[in-house]
Amino acid sequence: MTEKILAIAKEIEPRLIQIRRDIHSHPELGLQEERTAKLVADTLEELGLEVKRNFFATGVVGLLKGGKPGKTLLIRADMDALPVQEENDLPYRSTCDGKMHACGHDAHTTWLLGTAMILSRLKEDLCGNVKFMFQPAEEAPGGADEMIHEGLLENPKVDMAMAAHVSADMPVGKLIIQDGPVTANPDFFKLTLHGKGTHGAYPQNGIDALNMGVQVYNQLSSFVSRLSDACDEVVLSVCKMEAGTSRGAVAGECVLEGTVRSFRPEIRQQAKEFLENSCKAITQLYGGSYDFYYEALSFPVMNDPAVTQKVREAAAKIVGEDGVVSQFKKFMGGEDYCFVARAVPSTFLYVGAMNDDLFPPMPLHNSHFQMDERVLAQTAAVLSQSAFQLLND
């Protein structure tokens, strides 16, 4: 079976590269993925799958029924792009101003289509069903939970699930497949500090909100270094700060926005309390006031040990034992795939996509992000092999 999967993957690789470049050239933001969704649905129908369009907004679900009875496996890909201006000089660069597939979702969509191409040819040997989930709005506002509410995990009932994401930390040919939590709590905050504006020549007549903002900023920087346990993975970052409208006026308001990433609920709560207490202390000291907003969007993706082990075994048949990394650092990014992973036994793997010989390494969400397109056919083969490992074992 592995030889058959690899042969089909090699055969369809040129088409997968063409599909990925087409999607990359036409990026669409969350809940706007109409062109991408049509391409996906049309391709799945060509392969003979049962297809549901507009499954929560622009989502698409395809169902492949195997030739033998068995369980149902869900495989997920996200379709949305980011509000980033691409700066790569490529023939297939983004044609949409201010939009770019800078997180690899164009590859995710493509390799899941490749998986459908492979499994549709081998379906008579497959026990059970494969449900293909093409999700809108992973970046924002989040589409996985909404698709579940619309019945994604029913008819037929999903027994297990898997998903893959490109990695900017690993070279092509390497897969990170580890147990336990693999993404963090992705929380966001907004702190609005209210002072009293005044003439810049007479600061004593006002309450400098920018000064309060600087004091709060400096206070927040001590949370990780002095108030959290060194053994706890936690990040608190102020990513945006705005104050003032004139170079001659003391600012009457200052806004700080940022994110907290953690893995344990008690650390999440500690960070939230520290943020508000810092605002309270600084504004009381200078005579101002504050508004506090904290949003806990989701929770970590947890990999099920049994499902993860079978996927590791399957992946090794495609990339070799040396290509599978079972222990690696946790990723501080968030993932709304966590809603799927919470509902059914699941695994979430990272696919190395870097090639220093072709382009300089760049992080995800960077305007110069690129990937080695060999990951497309390779990952389609890994997911296909994993489907047989999970359903036919």
Side-chain angles (χ1 to χ4, degrees), residues 13 24 98 112 134 136 193 199 223 292 335 337 358 379 381 389:
E13 184 171 24
H24 189 88
L112 189 52
F134 291 87
L193 310 177
H199 197 294
F223 177 75
F292 176 72
E335 246 295 344
Y337 179 76
L358 295 180
T379 309
Q389 195 89 5

Side-chain angles (χ1 to χ4, degrees), residues 266-343:
E266 55 267 36
I267 298 300
R268 167 186 256 179
Q269 184 61 30
Q270 183 184 2
K272 180 180 178 181
E273 292 175 358
F274 179 73
L275 281 161
E276 183 162 20
N277 289 338
S278 297
C279 291
K280 183 183 299 183
I282 297 300
T283 53
Q284 284 182 349
L285 179 64
Y286 289 98
S289 61
Y290 71 94
D291 291 324
F292 176 72
Y293 172 77
Y294 193 94
E295 183 178 26
L297 291 177
S298 55
F299 39 87
V301 172
M302 298 292 294
N303 278 359
D304 177 80
V307 173
T308 301
Q309 180 56 32
K310 288 189 177 182
V311 172
R312 269 197 291 262
E313 294 169 2
K317 295 178 182 179
I318 303 298
V319 300
E321 295 285 348
D322 293 340
V324 179
V325 179
S326 59
Q327 290 186 332
F328 198 69
K329 63 183 179 182
K330 296 187 182 74
F331 290 82
M332 301 306 290
E335 246 295 344
D336 79 340
Y337 179 76
C338 63
F339 293 100
V340 176
R342 182 174 65 174

